[in-house]
Amino acid sequence: MLELDNLVSNVHTGLMEALPHWAALTIEYILIGVLMLALYCVLALILIFLERKICARFQCRLGPNRVGPWGSLQLIADMVKILLKEIVKISKSDKILFFTALFLALIGSLCTFGALQFGKGLAGIDFNVGIFYVLSISSLGVVGILLAGWSSNNKYTLIGAMRSGAQLISYELSAGLSILTMMILAGSLNISDIINGQAHSWYIFQAPLPALVAFIIYLIAGHAETNRGPFDLPEAESELTAGYHTEYSGIQYGMFYLAEYLNMFIIAGIATTVFLGGWQPFQINADWAAGFNEVMSYIPSYIWFFGKAFMLVLLSLWVRWTFPRLRIDQLLHLEWKILMPISLVNMLVMAVWVVLFF
Amino acid sequence: MEVKNIKVKSMKPEDFKDTEYLEQYVEELRNNGVGIGLGVLDDFINWSRSHSVWPLTFATACCGIEFMCVGAARTDFARFGWEVTRNSPRQADVIFVAGTIVHKMAPVLKRLYDQMAEPKYVIAVGGCAISGGPFKNSYHVVQGVDKIIPVDVYVPGCPPRPDAMVYGMMQLERKIKVEKFFKLPCRKKEENPSSDNNLSETK
Amino acid sequence: MKKIKDIISSAASGLTIEEQQYPTVCVSPEQLRKVAQKLKSEGFDVLLNLTGMDYNDKFGVIYHLTSTVDKMAMLVLKVQTPDREKLDIPTVSDIWESANLYEREAYDFFGIRFIGHPDLRRIFLRADWNGFPFRKDYDANPELNPVPLVNQTISDMEDMPTLSFDKDGKLVTKHNQLFENGEYVVNIGPQHPATHGVLHLRVSLEGEIIKKVDPNFGYIHRGIEKMCESKTYPQILQLTERLDYLSGTMNRHAFCLCAEKALGLEVPKRAQAVRVIFDELTRIASHLLGWGCMCMDMGSITAFIYGMRDREKIMDIFEETGGGRLMVGYNVIGGLADEVSDKFISQVKEFIPYMRKMIKEYHVLFSENPIAKGRMQGMGIMTKEQAASLGVTGPSGRASGWSCDVRKIEPYAGYDQVDFEEVLRSGGDTYDRYYIRLDEIEQSLRIIDYLINNLPDDGFKAKTPAIIKLPAGEYYQRVENARGDFGVYINSTGDKNPYRVKFRSPCMTLISALGPLCRNEKIADLIMIGASLDYVIPCADR
């Protein structure tokens, strides 16, 4: 009843009938692009606001509360202010790379965002190597960060960028391995197939032991991928001033800021899709629970998706505001000597599990 | 806009001191032209800019500790949206000069101020930044930071209480709210038709 | 340890020991190195304080020495130059490492040339400063030294002159470069979120590993000691609080004690007890801030906010009785400014169990965290000998096992009547320096607990003359600051302004320890080691 898939398919058929094929497709692409961008920005604003309020709660204080009711308009003020700041031109930097770097970071983030399925029928793109596409396009962000740090012509940013590059490349391995572990269970790289395969119970319940281990590893590695929490050494505020984005000002800095928060959401989104059932409601795979399942499926699918993703985001914020940060060699030690061997072994365990129980 | 109409949440306009300075400021801005039809946009922009002022982490001496107290849990400047302290001057809006500035530190402060992106503001916190403070007779202390950089708000005290610093922030908020973002030359009020410093009339 | 008389007579001939506040020996510049080496080998391995002096017709240096072997032993060594022109005194920086910075300070302020010092740069003032400010004939015309708007050149900051005499007796300067060509040098500070103030460190890196650290002082040098020479004693009290502002009350207490010792005043026991309670509350507040900043430097901002929250409770107590939050201004020469407020006792009694509960929470939240332990354990190890040679006192020295608590060595203000432990740890690494502060908070709570339940009732201030003039002479008072051994040296000629005031700063030695401790560590460790030493720059810069 509150699902949007009927609306989407009606719009699609309406356009197809009214206009020639190419025109309808073009309009659809433009519409989807605009919707994605709007959702990207709105989500970023909500996330930043949530972070400030939740971090304040952890620290026994109030967050922004003067600008609009409960401070809800604070982010609008921040956004307008950032748009109006002067963009300082650095004289000795590599101008083309300086300008391109942030677009690379943003594009990587946006393209990954486009692959997420927000609800029934609410998919931007859906093709047969969905997960593979997601894992590979998110690595564009690494290039963006490295270029940003290098082209600023600043020793601090260079150190920050080098650290960041090492960190991101390392943790992509563990993240990728955990996802691949779940692909063994799912049997397909297509995101729709993955979600449909969880219609009766989520993957994390279908293969509890290896899936749980993969889930935890994915959350840790994803956290490190987004330069947040105990892994935020590249932008360590107390050490390197502001890390790789020290020399950016105005809207350029705003874009980095936005991309960071959205990356956090994207990691949560991918974890939701692969481990927690995507937009599928919580179903218990037993006959006595038929009534419960019915009730659960009344809640619209996009509420499920965003609810699960925001739970994971909350977990991410909690970890970030509690723990101190790891040093670069401890970070890399964690990845190469602890997480990666465990992921490899876990993959074997999952393979054995699938053979035995499916 | 009239100075008495500036709204700062939970403070009455009569509770603010030094309204004369703001009225003078508004007069000066008005002499350079009034935006027609863009007043509403100006108000919106000023509203957003005054509520989102990001300080630079800069503290030299004792006033720095009270600055940290302003950010801490009891007096929480995050309520105003000021808690995003940026470490890089390029991303900061205001520099709280908290602490004494000495001869050796003066070039560093000037450089930091120059590196900040426009629009930028300076709040001089504490006696030392205003005029040298208790160190007035010293050979190495700059007698007031306004000898090197322009200052927008002065917050006296040694050190000022966190509440006093918050009051200073609210004064800055008022000052930002009367600024003119869109400065268009336009029809000047016809009080002095033959005055010298009028701008050309627009069509 | 052998008696001082025997040591001195075996060091050089013709030396007499004067029995002033501490045994004092005057030596000539030629005899200085022999006597110093003999003293060091016989157990006087700590150079606590080095004071430059301008005696109008000549210059001089006063050394305060103590020992780790016999911590009650204290010796004062005095050297004077022949006249105002021949300002050359041999260096002792190879004997006591702490003399390295102290001699640079004396050169900066007076122009006294230390022959053989490896790095005789000016320390607080810029290299292009005209004149030596602490000389009695210094020309304070602001036109001679206007406010600079351009930073110093790199060569000014890195050129290290060493003075020596060649065979003709002429002064020869050899210039050394601090960093070679091709070294990757990064500036940390002066504006930096984690240097706890304005400290400028020039660090040469190889990847992430630190090769050399050079601290540059002077970015908050306010000339307090020179200002004291033109102020009356009650006026100087205001300046003492602004030295190390986190232990402001203790600094003020030290100065009051020194003046009271000179005047021979008997401070009422109630005033002494309240002074100690304020001191210990200040110590707790300072350690909370130090702990919070350490956690913040590691990335856990939440811990910092929690520390500040508890500190606000202490500031409430201060404000209720003393009137100020950070700068309380409650100690005066003779006692306290006024009687305590009615709510004082109940506020303090409420605070003690609250703080004990919070300390337990902080241990659970942070001290046992594996990430925190991994960041702190095993790095920045300072041995006891290193601590003594560098003069690192306070919690950082005690974390290396050096028992240097002035409250136990030279008890003042009734500390000998209170039962508390001197917390010692033996590892000397960053984690020890972190943990010892939380333990010291517990000891401070013990002291406050005892005193607040046993407050005497004999008045809050002794009678003092209207204009306070200290009798002529030299007076030295040591006090246990939150950061170490804080000393006040007053040289008075009987006037209402002192002739010379010197504050022995514990933080200067803490900063000098950064160089040796951070060699071959990573940048992230430099930040952590600095945070664990917990220095406050205005104390070092004065």
Side-chain angles (χ1 to χ4, degrees):
Chain A
M1 34 265 79
L2 293 167
E3 299 284 355
L4 295 173
D5 52 345
N6 286 331
L7 175 65
V8 169
S9 52
N10 285 344
V11 168
H12 176 72
T13 39
L15 278 174
M16 284 293 177
E17 283 165 9
L19 296 165
H21 190 74
W22 59 268
L25 274 181
T26 318
I27 293 191
E28 270 188 14
Y29 290 157
I30 295 176
L31 210 58
I32 291 177
V34 165
L35 277 173
M36 281 292 171
L37 277 174
L39 189 63
Y40 192 83
C41 294
V42 166
L43 263 179
L45 291 183
I46 295 179
L47 278 172
I48 302 177
F49 174 69
L50 266 185
E51 154 145 65
R52 281 160 79 158
K53 282 300 241 186
I54 291 177
C55 133
R57 288 285 165 213
F58 284 137
Q59 295 174 356
C60 309
R61 55 187 180 89
L62 310 164
N65 70 350
R66 297 178 91 81
V67 189
W70 297 294
S72 42
L73 300 178
Q74 176 68 51
L75 266 305
I76 313 272
D78 280 341
M79 194 182 70
V80 174
K81 193 268 319 249
I82 271 198
L83 283 170
L84 298 172
K85 273 297 255 189
E86 173 199 5
I87 298 187
V88 178
K89 292 191 180 35
I90 321 288
S91 62
K92 295 206 203 97
S93 69
D94 192 327
K95 292 191 181 34
I96 301 176
L97 286 179
F98 192 71
F99 188 65
T100 333
L102 71 99
F103 282 109
L104 283 172
L106 204 59
I107 288 172
S109 176
L110 260 174
C111 290
T112 328
F113 187 71
L116 290 175
Q117 298 208 0
F118 302 104
K120 211 172 196 174
L122 294 174
I125 44 171
D126 188 24
F127 56 106
N128 58 343
V129 286
I131 287 290
F132 184 59
Y133 160 79
V134 159
L135 288 175
S136 46
I137 201 106
S138 56
S139 340
L140 256 188
V142 185
V143 182
I145 292 178
L146 277 172
L147 281 183
W150 188 81
S151 63
S152 305
N153 190 26
N154 180 337
K155 280 177 188 163
Y156 277 142
T157 58
L158 186 61
I159 298 178
M162 290 296 141
R163 282 180 178 176
S164 182
Q167 178 185 329
L168 292 176
I169 295 175
S170 312
Y171 277 91
E172 268 177 18
L173 281 166
S174 284
L177 281 173
S178 339
I179 302 282
L180 286 175
T181 311
M182 299 315 289
M183 295 306 105
I184 298 178
L185 187 54
S188 158
L189 288 175
N190 187 344
I191 298 189
S192 294
D193 285 350
I194 295 173
I195 296 181
N196 291 333
Q198 298 178 71
H200 295 295
S201 76
W202 301 344
Y203 280 150
I204 200 170
F205 300 124
Q206 287 186 24
L209 177 61
L212 192 61
V213 173
F215 183 51
I216 294 175
I217 294 181
Y218 182 72
L219 282 181
I220 298 176
H223 217 74
E225 281 283 303
T226 57
N227 283 332
R228 288 218 27 117
F231 310 103
D232 63 350
L233 208 56
E235 31 169 273
E237 299 127 14
S238 345
E239 292 172 34
L240 293 181
T241 323
Y244 58 86
H245 52 67
T246 309
E247 298 285 356
Y248 286 93
S249 61
I251 187 60
Q252 295 176 334
Y253 168 67
M255 291 212 248
F256 270 119
Y257 202 48
L258 225 68
E260 181 188 323
Y261 282 92
L262 251 303
N263 278 340
M264 191 171 63
F265 181 80
I266 288 168
I267 298 290
I270 297 176
T272 312
T273 310
V274 171
F275 294 94
L276 296 179
W279 44 258
Q280 298 283 5
F282 181 58
Q283 310 271 305
I284 301 180
N285 203 3
D287 298 319
W288 52 265
F292 175 75
N293 289 347
E294 197 60 33
V295 169
M296 288 287 121
S297 54
Y298 270 129
I299 304 175
S301 57
Y302 45 87
I303 302 275
W304 277 109
F305 177 78
F306 281 109
K308 290 179 219 174
F310 273 100
M311 281 293 126
L312 291 178
V313 163
L314 183 65
L315 189 67
S316 169
L317 290 178
W318 199 354
V319 166
R320 189 247 185 278
W321 288 106
T322 309
F323 292 125
R325 70 172 67 94
L326 288 166
R327 210 175 53 211
I328 187 73
D329 61 322
Q330 292 169 338
L331 214 144
L332 295 174
H333 170 92
L334 177 68
E335 159 60 20
W336 290 99
K337 294 195 190 164
I338 300 181
L339 287 185
M340 178 124 101
I342 297 182
S343 318
L344 287 170
V345 169
N346 194 36
M347 205 149 87
L348 275 173
V349 171
M350 176 65 101
V352 167
W353 191 288
V354 166
V355 162
L356 285 180
F357 294 112
F358 286 91
Chain B
M1 76 191 298
E2 286 306 321
V3 170
K4 20 186 202 311
N5 285 345
I6 307 174
K7 286 196 207 53
V8 173
K9 192 167 177 177
S10 74
M11 284 278 283
K12 299 202 239 349
E14 317 60 87
D15 286 340
F16 280 104
K17 298 193 178 59
D18 204 12
T19 313
E20 307 79 43
Y21 165 77
L22 278 180
E23 282 171 1
Q24 226 179 349
Y25 189 49
V26 170
E27 246 341 280
E28 260 177 47
L29 289 175
R30 212 173 268 159
N31 286 338
N32 290 335
V34 179
I36 315 175
L38 291 171
V40 173
L41 199 51
D42 237 352
D43 285 349
F44 172 66
I45 287 178
N46 286 341
W47 167 86
S48 75
R49 285 201 306 126
S50 67
H51 280 116
S52 158
V53 186
W54 291 349
L56 176 70
T57 46
F58 180 81
T60 49
C62 345
C63 284
I65 303 291
E66 292 295 53
F67 179 60
M68 294 204 275
C69 286
V70 179
R74 186 178 283 191
T75 325
D76 175 24
F77 65 179
R79 296 176 291 148
F80 298 83
W82 291 53
E83 91 267 35
V84 191
T85 48
R86 304 307 312 166
N87 301 321
S88 163
R90 306 226 182 271
Q91 297 151 9
D93 298 309
V94 73
I95 182 167
F96 273 83
V97 184
T100 323
I101 299 296
V102 302
H103 280 50
K104 204 167 179 182
M105 190 65 189
V108 177
L109 179 63
K110 180 106 183 66
R111 193 176 196 190
L112 277 174
Y113 180 74
D114 291 337
Q115 282 177 335
M116 283 169 75
E118 292 281 351
K120 52 190 173 184
Y121 304 96
V122 175
I123 299 188
V125 174
C128 298
I130 296 178
S131 68
F135 305 103
K136 201 100 178 93
N137 299 330
S138 173
Y139 55 88
H140 203 233
V141 168
V142 177
Q143 307 292 317
V145 83
D146 52 8
K147 304 238 175 343
I148 342 177
I149 54 181
V151 173
D152 290 292
V153 178
Y154 296 89
V155 182
C158 189
R161 298 198 62 182
D163 319 350
M165 288 169 73
V166 166
Y167 176 70
M169 287 186 219
M170 290 205 265
Q171 287 277 34
L172 184 67
E173 208 181 300
R174 288 202 321 153
K175 187 170 182 183
I176 299 179
K177 281 190 159 132
V178 299
E179 284 184 351
K180 297 260 173 290
F181 192 76
F182 294 102
K183 295 196 195 57
L184 298 178
C186 63
R187 216 179 306 270
K188 193 162 178 278
K189 289 205 171 98
E190 295 297 323
E191 287 130 15
N192 300 322
S194 60
S195 80
D196 302 316
N197 63 338
N198 54 1
L199 308 141
S200 57
E201 278 186 341
T202 55
K203 321 287 176 287
Chain C
M1 224 166 86
K2 284 207 293 213
K3 289 179 66 115
I4 295 181
K5 244 193 324 206
D6 301 331
I7 305 176
I8 295 294
S9 48
S10 65
S13 57
L15 297 175
T16 50
I17 305 179
E18 296 158 30
E19 284 302 328
Q20 296 174 2
Q21 185 183 352
Y22 302 115
T24 309
V25 180
C26 292
V27 297
S28 68
E30 292 78 27
Q31 294 170 315
L32 173 65
R33 278 192 68 82
K34 220 160 52 111
V35 174
Q37 268 153 352
K38 186 75 181 170
L39 285 171
K40 169 85 189 276
S41 59
E42 293 291 345
F44 277 99
D45 48 356
V46 181
L47 174 61
L48 209 56
N49 191 16
L50 193 155
T51 312
M53 290 292 297
D54 179 353
Y55 293 111
N56 279 323
D57 52 345
K58 48 187 152 173
F59 288 92
V61 178
I62 303 177
Y63 303 81
H64 282 84
L65 300 164
T66 184
S67 162
T68 54
V69 174
D70 171 14
K71 50 190 194 182
M72 307 290 178
M74 178 87 135
L75 178 69
V76 177
L77 203 58
K78 282 190 183 177
V79 178
Q80 286 178 2
T81 62
D83 55 31
R84 276 183 93 81
E85 303 306 318
K86 295 211 209 45
L87 294 166
D88 314 301
I89 296 183
T91 183
V92 293
S93 55
D94 51 340
I95 305 175
W96 295 291
E97 267 180 78
S98 48
N100 196 323
L101 289 182
Y102 289 150
E103 289 182 348
R104 280 175 67 185
E105 180 189 330
Y107 168 67
D108 196 6
F109 288 157
F110 292 95
I112 301 175
R113 294 185 289 263
F114 290 93
I115 309 299
H117 191 286
D119 173 15
L120 200 62
R121 289 176 285 167
R122 294 192 95 136
I123 188 170
F124 296 129
L125 302 172
R126 285 164 64 115
D128 51 6
W129 188 272
N130 291 317
F132 296 102
F134 279 45
R135 289 191 179 181
K136 296 294 178 189
D137 56 356
Y138 171 68
D139 184 359
N141 188 355
E143 317 242 317
L144 282 177
N145 289 304
V147 178
L149 286 180
V150 178
N151 273 323
Q152 296 181 86
T153 56
I154 305 260
S155 55
D156 273 349
M157 285 194 276
E158 291 188 2
D159 171 52
M160 301 199 294
T162 308
L163 299 169
S164 56
F165 282 118
D166 63 5
K167 45 186 187 328
D168 302 324
K170 214 163 66 84
L171 205 55
V172 160
T173 316
K174 197 160 87 86
H175 291 268
N176 299 319
Q177 276 297 109
L178 184 58
F179 296 115
E180 275 105 59
N181 282 337
E183 283 199 53
Y184 191 80
V185 178
V186 175
N187 284 314
I188 298 187
Q191 180 258 344
H192 194 275
T195 51
H196 301 259
V198 276
L199 180 65
H200 181 193
L201 295 171
R202 289 177 61 74
V203 179
S204 91
L205 293 174
E206 201 177 282
E208 288 260 341
I209 310 282
I210 295 174
K211 291 282 144 213
K212 203 187 288 187
V213 176
D214 176 43
N216 281 338
F217 297 82
Y219 287 89
I220 189 78
H221 171 64
R222 301 181 268 201
I224 292 185
E225 290 177 2
K226 179 74 179 177
M227 281 170 71
C228 289
E229 294 173 13
S230 56
K231 293 199 184 298
T232 62
Y233 291 94
Q235 286 175 328
I236 297 177
L237 288 177
Q238 308 303 330
L239 294 176
T240 54
E241 275 184 321
R242 282 143 179 92
L243 280 170
D244 168 6
Y245 39 79
L246 293 173
S247 339
T249 317
M250 294 186 250
N251 300 347
R252 201 173 160 120
H253 190 186
F255 195 85
C256 291
L257 285 173
C258 199
E260 285 150 13
K261 188 190 298 196
L263 289 170
L265 278 179
E266 182 71 41
V267 178
K269 295 240 176 329
R270 183 182 174 82
Q272 284 186 23
V274 173
R275 273 178 171 181
V276 168
I277 294 178
F278 264 70
D279 273 4
E280 295 304 318
L281 283 173
T282 312
R283 194 187 311 276
I284 297 177
S286 169
H287 284 328
L288 278 174
L289 190 87
W291 172 80
C293 285
M294 215 171 148
C295 299
M296 187 160 73
D297 288 345
M298 257 195 278
S300 172
I301 304 181
T302 312
F304 171 73
I305 303 278
Y306 288 163
M308 297 297 271
R309 173 196 56 179
D310 298 332
R311 213 166 149 266
E312 291 284 338
K313 293 217 162 27
I314 299 181
M315 310 263 240
D316 282 343
I317 301 179
F318 284 166
E319 203 179 2
E320 187 63 37
T321 301
R325 284 162 46 101
L326 191 61
M327 310 290 174
V328 189
Y330 196 43
N331 288 328
V332 291
I333 299 180
L336 305 170
D338 202 345
E339 187 52 72
V340 294
S341 132
D342 305 326
K343 297 198 223 160
F344 177 69
I345 298 184
S346 59
Q347 273 177 327
V348 173
K349 283 193 172 159
E350 216 182 284
F351 175 73
I352 300 174
Y354 167 80
M355 193 69 229
R356 288 201 163 118
K357 189 167 73 115
M358 284 299 140
I359 295 285
K360 288 202 187 60
E361 248 186 55
Y362 297 152
H363 279 305
V364 167
L365 169 68
F366 210 78
S367 313
E368 304 302 321
N369 188 316
I371 303 181
K373 277 184 156 167
R375 286 296 297 269
M376 290 195 279
Q377 273 175 340
M379 55 203 66
I381 297 182
M382 183 162 58
T383 58
K384 185 170 155 189
E385 293 69 35
Q386 236 180 335
S389 175
L390 287 166
V392 172
T393 52
S396 312
R398 288 195 281 281
S400 303
W402 178 22
S403 159
C404 55
D405 195 338
V406 180
R407 297 174 291 174
K408 294 287 194 194
I409 300 177
E410 289 184 24
Y412 53 93
Y415 269 110
D416 41 357
Q417 265 111 47
V418 187
D419 178 35
F420 69 100
E421 273 170 39
E422 178 181 2
V423 188
L424 285 175
R425 292 177 78 90
S426 52
D429 66 2
T430 307
Y431 191 64
D432 285 318
R433 287 192 286 273
Y434 160 89
Y435 214 90
I436 202 173
R437 294 202 161 80
L438 294 174
D439 285 341
E440 285 203 354
I441 294 184
E442 177 52 48
Q443 294 303 316
S444 293
L445 287 170
R446 258 175 84 172
I447 300 176
I448 301 177
D449 206 358
Y450 173 78
L451 284 175
I452 199 77
N453 290 318
N454 301 305
L455 266 184
D457 219 350
D458 56 348
F460 63 87
K461 187 166 181 287
K463 204 148 169 28
T464 51
I467 299 183
I468 298 189
K469 289 187 190 174
L470 266 52
E474 299 176 317
Y475 311 98
Y476 191 75
Q477 173 69 41
R478 293 164 80 182
V479 147
E480 181 68 21
N481 209 342
R483 282 157 187 83
D485 184 329
F486 180 79
V488 175
Y489 168 81
I490 304 182
N491 184 324
S492 164
T493 50
D495 209 5
K496 67 175 171 17
N497 311 100
Y499 184 77
R500 168 91 165 104
V501 174
K502 168 87 166 60
F503 297 107
R504 190 260 168 194
S505 145
C507 301
M508 199 158 179
T509 47
L510 290 173
I511 299 175
S512 71
L514 260 186
L517 290 181
C518 292
R519 206 159 288 142
N520 295 327
E521 303 276 9
K522 304 183 186 56
I523 303 181
D525 297 329
L526 168 82
I527 307 289
M528 282 319 298
I529 294 172
S532 74
L533 290 169
D534 189 21
Y535 43 72
V536 164
I537 319 293
C539 182
D541 279 2
R542 274 155 284 142

